[in-house]
């Protein structure tokens, strides 16, 4: 469970590979079942190797660009150069210093406001995009509130 906790914090990938002869023992089947239930409880995506490969290929076509438009405003441009839509994309933005707040809005007409996850006092923010269509571009402004110096509790 400590391994799962670490992977969850990092947003990592765990690849479980085993030979079918392991299914001869009931202990191993129980272990796989318990692990799968725990992963599902945590909201993990359980996928085959081909599904992970498809996911990776789709995301490899995504390009990002971040431009500073002043001390408290950024422009994030995200493009999908691939032939298929990318779903549930998370773009991590490193802010270079702790911020008390980070809010995103769409700079693209008729595009919904994205979900932004930022912990006050942290120097990173995650922009969650439900879908980025094939051969499309999206622009988002990110407005920041600077964390006052000395206010971050350690």
């Amino acid at each position: 469970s400590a391994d799962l906790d670490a992977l969850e914090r990092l947003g990592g990938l765990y690849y479980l590979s085993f030979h079918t002869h392991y299914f001869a023992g009931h202990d191993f089947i129980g272990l796989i079942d318990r692990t799968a239930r725990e992963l599902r409880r945590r909201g993990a995506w359980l996928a085959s190797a081909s599904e992970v490969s498809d996911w990776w290929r789709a995301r490899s076509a995504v390009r990002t660009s971040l431009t500073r438009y002043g001390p408290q405003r950024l422009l994030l441009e995200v493009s999908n150069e691939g032939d298929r839509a990318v779903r549930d994309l998370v773009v991590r933005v490193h802010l270079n210093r702790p911020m008390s707040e980070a809010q995103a809005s769409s700079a693209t007409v008729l595009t919904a406001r994205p979900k932004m996850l930022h912990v006050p006092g942290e120097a990173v923010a995650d922009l969650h995009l439900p879908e980025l269509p094939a051969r499309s571009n999206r622009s988002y402004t990110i407005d920041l509130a600077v964390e006052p110096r000395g206010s971050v509790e350690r």
Side-chain angles (χ1 to χ4, degrees), residues 43-112:
W45 173 46
L46 302 180
S48 67
S50 66
E51 289 170 317
V52 172
S53 176
D54 290 346
W55 175 88
W56 191 266
R57 265 192 251 110
R59 276 157 178 71
S60 70
V62 173
R63 303 287 178 262
T64 61
S65 170
L66 188 65
T67 306
R68 184 170 291 280
Y69 274 98
Q72 293 176 277
R73 177 164 278 186
L74 305 171
L75 176 67
L76 174 66
E77 296 176 288
V78 184
S79 62
N80 178 1
E81 298 174 357
D83 296 332
R84 58 184 140 167
V86 176
R87 289 179 179 72
D88 301 318
L89 181 67
V90 177
V91 178
R92 174 156 284 177
V93 179
H94 293 269
L95 305 171
N96 293 331
R97 62 186 276 202
M99 297 289 164
S100 59
E101 189 175 355
Q103 292 185 349
S105 57
S106 176
T108 306
V109 178
L110 300 176
T111 301

Side-chain angles (χ1 to χ4, degrees), residues 76 89 102-108 111-117 126-130 138-142:
L76 174 66
L89 181 67
Q103 292 185 349
S105 57
S106 176
T108 306
T111 301
R113 180 184 194 103
K115 179 181 171 188
M116 186 84 162
L117 178 62
D126 291 337
L127 185 77
H128 294 250
L129 305 177
R138 297 286 186 265
S139 296
Y140 302 95
T141 56
I142 301 173

Side-chain angles (χ1 to χ4, degrees), residues 16-26 28-29 32:
L16 175 64
S17 178
F18 53 87
H19 195 277
T20 55
H21 75 268
Y22 287 126
F23 286 116
H26 290 285
F28 188 75
I29 292 172
I32 292 288

